[in-house]
Amino acid sequence: MKMISRNRRLRTNDSIRSLVRETTLTTNDLVLPMFVMEGNNKKEAISSMPGVFRQSLDLMVQTVKENYDLGIKAVNLYMKVSDNLKDNTGKESWNSNGLMQTAIKAIKDAVPGVVIMPDVALDPYSIYGHDGIIKNGKIDNDSTVEALVKMGISLAEAGADILAPSDMMDGRVLAMREGLEENGFTDVGILSYAAKYASAFYGPFRSALDSAPVDAQEIPADKKTYQMDFHNSREAIDEALKDVDEGADIIMIKPGMPYLDIVSKIRELITQPIAVYQVSGEYAMLKAAAQNGWLDNDKVLIESLTSFKRAGADMIFTYAAPEVAKLLNN
């Protein structure tokens, strides 16, 4: 056979493959989502997410320190809200002495270099489990945006570096940017969940925070009136471009692996950094298969996260960040 070009020449051994490798995964790409709960010296396993825990603040601070030493420089915070603090307004979310605000202050004091990205959404604080305020049986967009701005400013005051609104309300990025500017928080960034789909892959997460929509006749049974229809891609592009115009510093696409086409399409259209979330259902599936011996845990984690980078992501939110960091460091 006479061939001038043989692609396999560049696959001959590991050293050559490394030289021509197009995509590289490092600890700098990782963001760790974490769940904070009330109490002291408390740690509760989340059964559907092996290796993931709800932690009281004292234990969470220690975990952040340990992971920072591994090279994980950013955390994404969620709060497990006590039932007695939930209502339809979400007012606990902007309580300056609330658990989320206290957590941000404690982590920033203990690990000043870590980037803190708190979730901005009302569902953990809502008696209905929705990301918005219910009025006349519907999610009211504009009153919800007002509440989210209050929450965002409160989190910025506590020391948040980047706000991560995950609610999917219309106009909330612009309103939040204006609120931050007016209150002197010009350096606080916004990571907008621009294309967050109404996905079946969120189940374990909602169990972890007890934030699933309640089953009540007078209110929506799901989040499809504000999260995106998973059949659509052009709509995701529209959402991302609008959020960039409104002042978003980073664009989030969620979930991850089932939506790599969306990541790739948006990467071609914007210059802003793109974040991708390996959501709880994705994580749980990989873990379940690995525990049954069907997949190699370490290899599928690295391969799946590398696929996000290859599609165009700049950062990856993953519950596997600590073990992936250890694999990369070794």
Side-chain angles (χ1 to χ4, degrees):
M1 297 176 65
K2 293 183 178 180
M3 285 187 282
I4 295 174
S5 176
R6 290 179 182 265
N7 290 350
R8 287 183 56 194
R9 293 189 191 112
L10 299 183
R11 304 175 198 151
T12 303
N13 57 54
D14 187 61
S15 294
I16 291 177
R17 291 192 294 271
S18 297
L19 282 172
V20 299
R21 187 159 290 152
E22 301 171 21
T23 306
T24 304
L25 180 70
T26 76
T27 56
N28 293 329
D29 302 317
L30 304 175
V31 180
L32 176 62
M34 303 183 75
F35 303 104
V36 62
M37 60 182 291
E38 297 280 2
N40 189 61
N41 196 32
K42 286 187 176 182
K43 187 175 183 179
E44 296 178 353
I46 301 169
S47 60
S48 56
M49 300 170 68
V52 181
F53 302 88
R54 288 180 290 264
Q55 299 179 84
S56 55
L57 182 52
D58 54 329
L59 297 183
M60 176 172 281
V61 168
Q62 184 59 38
T63 301
V64 173
K65 287 181 180 178
E66 293 169 358
N67 289 323
Y68 191 77
D69 290 340
L70 290 175
I72 300 172
K73 301 172 183 176
V75 294
N76 173 223
L77 300 183
Y78 298 88
M79 176 177 164
K80 174 68 170 66
V81 181
S82 301
D83 288 344
N84 64 303
L85 297 177
K86 296 182 180 182
D87 63 8
N88 186 37
T89 70
K91 65 179 182 295
E92 177 62 21
S93 69
W94 61 84
N95 176 3
S96 60
N97 296 312
L99 180 58
M100 180 70 91
Q101 287 79 355
T102 303
I104 292 170
K105 294 172 185 175
I107 292 171
K108 188 58 77 172
D109 286 344
V111 192
V114 75
V115 176
I116 301 178
M117 304 179 180
D119 181 59
V120 182
L122 300 185
D123 51 331
Y125 304 88
S126 169
I127 55 175
Y128 299 114
H130 273 290
D131 295 53
I133 295 170
I134 304 290
K135 288 187 178 181
N136 301 317
K138 297 180 179 180
I139 311 299
D140 187 75
N141 189 92
D142 294 5
S143 61
T144 298
V145 169
E146 292 176 6
L148 293 171
V149 172
K150 292 178 184 178
M151 180 181 182
I153 292 171
S154 177
L155 299 177
E157 289 172 343
D161 298 287
I162 299 174
L163 303 181
S166 63
D167 55 285
M168 288 297 289
M169 297 297 129
D170 291 336
R172 92 276 206 217
V173 172
L174 178 59
M176 199 169 294
R177 185 71 267 162
E178 290 177 342
L180 291 170
E181 297 293 314
E182 291 168 2
N183 286 272
F185 297 109
T186 56
D187 291 334
V188 174
I190 297 177
L191 183 154
S192 169
Y193 286 59
K196 181 179 181 181
Y197 284 86
S199 172
F201 285 93
Y202 301 146
F205 174 91
R206 290 174 181 169
S207 175
L209 286 186
D210 188 25
S211 62
V214 299
D215 186 11
Q217 189 173 6
E218 70 277 9
I219 63 171
D222 53 45
K223 301 188 177 186
K224 293 180 180 179
T225 65
Y226 46 100
Q227 293 180 357
M228 281 186 45
D229 185 343
F230 65 82
H231 300 85
N232 297 350
S233 63
R234 295 193 302 272
E235 183 184 8
I237 293 170
D238 183 56
E239 290 278 7
L241 294 178
K242 283 180 178 175
D243 282 2
V244 167
D245 288 343
E246 291 183 10
D249 301 284
I250 305 169
I251 293 298
M252 168 69 84
I253 297 162
K254 183 179 180 181
M257 194 171 289
Y259 297 88
L260 293 182
D261 61 318
I262 307 302
V263 179
S264 181
K265 288 179 180 180
I266 292 177
R267 175 74 290 159
E268 294 296 321
L269 296 172
I270 68 172
T271 58
Q272 285 73 14
I274 292 177
V276 179
Y277 204 130
Q278 184 184 52
V279 300
S280 59
E282 295 176 75
Y283 174 86
M285 288 192 304
L286 294 179
K287 285 297 180 183
Q291 289 178 350
N292 278 284
W294 300 333
L295 293 173
D296 182 307
N297 177 78
D298 297 352
K299 290 181 179 178
V300 295
L301 281 177
I302 297 297
E303 184 178 343
S304 61
L305 299 188
T306 300
S307 75
F308 299 156
K309 289 292 299 294
R310 190 181 65 245
D314 299 283
M315 65 194 74
I316 304 165
F317 286 52
T318 175
Y319 304 100
E323 60 182 308
V324 170
K326 291 175 184 176
L327 291 171
L328 295 173
N329 290 337
N330 289 333

